[in-house]
Amino acid sequence: MSDGKTLNLLSRRGLLGFASLVLALPVAAPAHAKERILRGTVSYRERIALPPRAILEVSIIDLAPDAPESIFAVTQTRTRNQLPIPYRLRFDDTRIRRGHTYMLQARILVDGKVWFATATRHQIRGPIQPEVLVQRVAAQAEAPIPKGKWLAESIRNGGVIDNLQSTIEITADGQVTGKGGCNGFGGKATVTGDKISFGPLVATQMACPPAIMDQETKFLGALNDARRWLVDDQRGKLILFDAANKEILLLARM
């Protein structure tokens, strides 16, 4: 940073989800020092859409023995369904103490529960920080599942009949019911992380006009081929992908 102040992130074993931050000061900060701001972004690699209520929290923690893990500065901002997530962390450099060790903590919280946290080591300098990568904290995060009732809007990027509803409902325990357009069906969804598979799905055997049966066949076939899911909470959409990571179903929340 300016005025001879350098921020160095150093590793600290046993502190999963944190990156150590040392503020190296050749002299004590003057009393008239101005407010400082750290700017940066936070991102993650998992294919998981955050709900609109998700919060990014970035903190500087003081690890001095007389103040174990006390919060030196903190900021919170809504993630706003964007990656990377920008942040600005303000702090008063007159509070910096020579010989103290500080660390930078980045977390993403949903309803007060930690979904993601920093887990890699960083070395950064100056007020503009490199992108911080956070990882899923599986033990603390709720196991996601695309539960709810969904209406097909497109099948394999093709249109659907306007007045014909192909629907699926998934419960919290993975039970599945729905209607292809003519016949009802039921079965089980197996969800592991962002992976999903349906089956076997058992349907009734009613006959309907060819156009309706064609859409139903395509809908059930797409469910059979589904291997990955993504929920876009902001738009209220469920997207299913096949083994080649190609979108095969776009559904709207009902």
Side-chain angles (χ1 to χ4, degrees):
M1 299 184 67
S2 60
D3 301 326
K5 302 175 181 62
T6 303
L7 285 78
N8 297 318
L9 278 177
L10 305 175
S11 63
R12 182 180 176 88
R13 293 185 178 181
L15 290 174
L16 177 64
F18 298 102
S20 297
L21 176 65
V22 173
L23 302 177
L25 299 178
V27 295
H32 63 273
K34 296 181 180 179
E35 177 186 66
R36 303 299 179 185
I37 301 177
L38 296 183
R39 293 182 175 87
T41 58
V42 174
S43 188
Y44 58 87
R45 292 174 179 164
E46 291 84 349
R47 292 179 176 271
I48 299 174
L50 296 171
R53 62 188 183 279
I55 298 293
L56 170 65
E57 178 186 272
V58 181
S59 308
I60 298 176
I61 309 297
D62 187 351
L63 291 183
D66 59 344
E69 296 192 17
S70 65
I71 296 178
F72 177 80
V74 62
T75 186
Q76 289 189 337
T77 182
R78 290 198 176 275
T79 58
R80 302 187 187 281
N81 198 36
Q82 61 179 325
L83 285 178
I85 311 162
Y87 70 87
R88 298 176 66 196
L89 177 57
R90 301 174 183 271
F91 68 94
D92 178 4
D93 66 359
T94 63
R95 297 177 55 208
I96 296 172
R97 298 294 178 263
R98 295 183 61 180
H100 282 213
T101 299
Y102 300 84
M103 65 181 181
L104 188 69
Q105 169 185 313
R107 307 188 301 171
I108 297 176
L109 303 98
V110 178
D111 297 331
K113 296 183 179 181
V114 181
W115 277 33
F116 294 87
T118 44
T120 56
R121 296 168 182 168
H122 304 274
Q123 187 172 19
I124 60 177
R125 296 178 183 275
I128 307 300
Q129 313 301 340
E131 184 173 274
V132 174
L133 188 67
V134 292
Q135 295 181 2
R136 190 71 186 274
V137 183
Q140 297 184 24
E142 295 178 348
I145 187 171
K147 61 183 179 181
K149 190 172 183 179
W150 306 91
L151 171 67
E153 288 191 341
S154 72
I155 303 173
R156 301 188 192 276
N157 292 311
V160 295
I161 300 173
D162 289 339
N163 59 350
L164 179 65
Q165 292 193 337
S166 295
T167 65
I168 184 170
E169 185 169 4
I170 306 171
T171 64
D173 61 356
Q175 296 299 315
V176 170
T177 56
K179 190 170 183 179
C182 178
N183 291 281
F185 64 88
K188 178 78 174 178
T190 300
V191 182
T192 305
D194 67 344
K195 303 296 187 295
I196 192 169
S197 62
F198 296 93
L201 297 177
V202 180
T204 58
Q205 299 297 317
M206 294 176 56
C208 291
I212 296 176
M213 297 304 297
D214 179 63
Q215 177 169 311
E216 178 171 285
T217 299
K218 291 177 179 178
F219 180 64
L220 294 176
L223 290 176
N224 183 67
D225 291 343
R227 295 295 179 269
R228 188 173 69 82
W229 67 276
L230 174 68
V231 169
D232 185 338
D233 275 313
Q234 188 170 19
R235 295 192 302 147
K237 308 294 185 184
L238 168 63
I239 310 168
L240 298 179
F241 304 85
D242 63 12
N245 208 34
K246 182 179 180 181
E247 180 182 316
I248 54 176
L249 266 177
L250 175 65
L251 305 105
R253 189 182 295 279
M254 297 181 71

